Amino acid sequence: MPESYADPSPRRQRSRQQVLNAIRAENGGITRSELSRVTGLSRSAIAEGVQDLLAERLVTEHRVESGLGRGRPSAVLVPAAARGEVAGIDFGHNHVSVAVAHSSGRVLAEHRRTIDVDHQATGALDAAAALLARCLADADLAASDLVSVAAGIPAPLDMKTGLVRSPTILSTWVDLDPARELSTRLGRPIQVGNDADMGAHGELRFGAARGCRDFVYVKASHGIGAGLVLNGDTYRGTLGIAGEIGHTQLPDADNWCRCGNRGCLEAVVSISEIKRQLTHIRLQPEADVSDPSLMAISSDPVAARVITGAGRTLGRVLADLCNALNPEAIVLGGEIGTAGVPLVLGVRESIDRYAQPAAAQDVNVRCAQLGLRSELMGAVATAIRHQAIPV
Ligand SMILES: [Zn+2]
């Protein structure tokens, strides 16, 4: 390994990751000048990134003759053949899911357990370790076969310290270092990120956001958080708490929120609030409110009205985000995202009404393709992207 990679600057590490992502996103190879155009990085940053990736054997270089038989052959970079298995872990507010997958993204085993993650940090971390052991046993693998593991946590994470920050959200996790806690339990190094960011990456790699460079993924479940992908990369903000849209104040609301404020978006629009409203409605017999997915419920015409109303409220906040970021797509995920068309209609209506016309016209609103697995598959995608990074 070259001297320069032994202690890379954060800037060099970031460009290296951007270059790697761009090479992995391209089928059939990419040249250095195309990399510069796709990533927006300077030629020297591309040269450094490629040098590091070649030294780590994460990419290889091939010469391709120009089609006309003249001119210099161009060098294209392609990802090195996949090297092993990875694991992804998704902590929701009341579940833990774990998947073991091949580096190509093919899932080999997957398990989920219901647990009060918010109030039982230690129990949830132990449950993740137990589920991973089950997945490994099912796939006939040992922990040492895993080249990379990543986990999503449903709380703001301080990107500088790796600690859970918020004193009022996920209170039993405050000051915990989830990466260290999990590494100790799993015996492997681990990448930890915010759950909405993981959801965004799941949809980017395997779902509704494939091919998008600027989009917002909304995890709308017990809380509401947004994963922002800008210029093809996750945007976390200076501390790592960008996208906490659930605590945007709504003008006419005064419901108490778990953050201690009143009138927050997620105190008005949450899966528990929608289900509470649905219990007052005589639903069609096939609609089951206890089902975590709203897919079956949303075909009931009265339930659809409740969901569209929630979509309008959510869309009011997303309209402002469209003005600020001008995304090409908004992907609605989490349990509320499973509602489908009635939800999209409500969000669309508010964006058309409150966002700048050009920004509103440009943005495509759609539901997550991976349903309740966006965050889990995002953890798998993150593990694949981060494999073989020295820790
Ligand atoms: Zn709040």
Side-chain angles (χ1 to χ4, degrees), residues 89-319:
I89 303 172
D90 166 40
F91 291 93
H93 286 287
N94 58 10
H95 76 264
V96 182
S97 301
V98 178
V100 165
H102 187 256
S103 296
S104 62
R106 185 167 52 89
V107 173
L108 304 171
E110 183 175 332
H111 285 291
R112 179 184 174 104
R113 194 181 135 190
T114 303
I115 181 169
D116 184 351
V117 170
D118 292 15
H119 298 106
Q120 298 178 36
T122 311
L125 292 159
D126 291 343
L131 291 176
L132 179 62
R134 274 176 66 188
C135 287
L136 288 170
D138 287 358
D140 206 12
L141 294 167
S144 56
D145 293 321
L146 297 174
V147 290
S148 178
V149 184
I153 311 283
L157 271 173
D158 187 324
M159 298 317 285
K160 289 178 184 149
T161 60
L163 303 181
V164 175
R165 279 186 68 87
S166 172
T168 51
I169 300 168
L170 226 60
S171 54
T172 58
W173 289 66
V174 169
D175 290 339
L176 265 183
D177 181 339
R180 203 179 53 207
E181 295 284 337
L182 284 166
S183 291
T184 308
R185 284 169 174 80
L186 310 179
R188 310 301 299 161
I190 182 159
Q191 301 286 328
V192 171
N194 174 263
D195 61 342
D197 289 335
M198 291 294 175
H201 277 279
E203 292 296 323
L204 178 63
R205 170 122 192 190
F206 302 109
R210 268 177 286 194
C212 289
R213 277 183 61 71
D214 297 284
F215 74 97
V216 175
Y217 170 81
V218 181
K219 183 184 177 189
S221 189
H222 293 274
I224 295 189
L228 310 175
V229 172
L230 305 175
N231 276 326
D233 209 357
T234 304
Y235 179 78
R236 299 190 178 86
T238 182
L239 289 175
I241 57 177
E244 287 292 319
I245 59 169
H247 303 283
T248 307
Q249 303 293 302
L250 298 174
D252 304 319
D254 65 352
N255 310 28
W256 281 105
C257 177
R258 62 195 171 119
C259 75
N261 262 334
R262 295 178 81 135
C264 294
L265 170 64
E266 69 174 47
V268 179
V269 178
S270 68
I271 188 66
S272 39
E273 189 58 27
I274 288 178
K275 289 197 169 174
R276 195 184 60 75
Q277 291 171 27
L278 292 176
T279 55
H280 298 300
I281 299 168
R282 189 189 292 271
L283 295 169
Q284 289 171 347
E286 61 272 21
D288 178 3
V289 180
S290 65
D291 191 330
S293 164
L294 290 179
M295 203 188 300
I297 294 171
S298 65
S299 61
D300 180 286
V302 187
R305 282 178 62 175
V306 170
I307 291 163
T308 300
R312 278 191 209 105
T313 309
L314 174 59
R316 179 69 191 87
V317 172
L318 295 176

Side-chain angles (χ1 to χ4, degrees), residues 2 18 31 57 61 84 99 105 163 186 237 255 261 299 328 354 367 388:
Q18 262 181 284
T31 64
R57 300 177 198 280
E61 193 162 29
L163 303 181
L186 310 179
N255 310 28
N261 262 334
S299 61
E328 62 186 292
Y354 296 108
C367 285

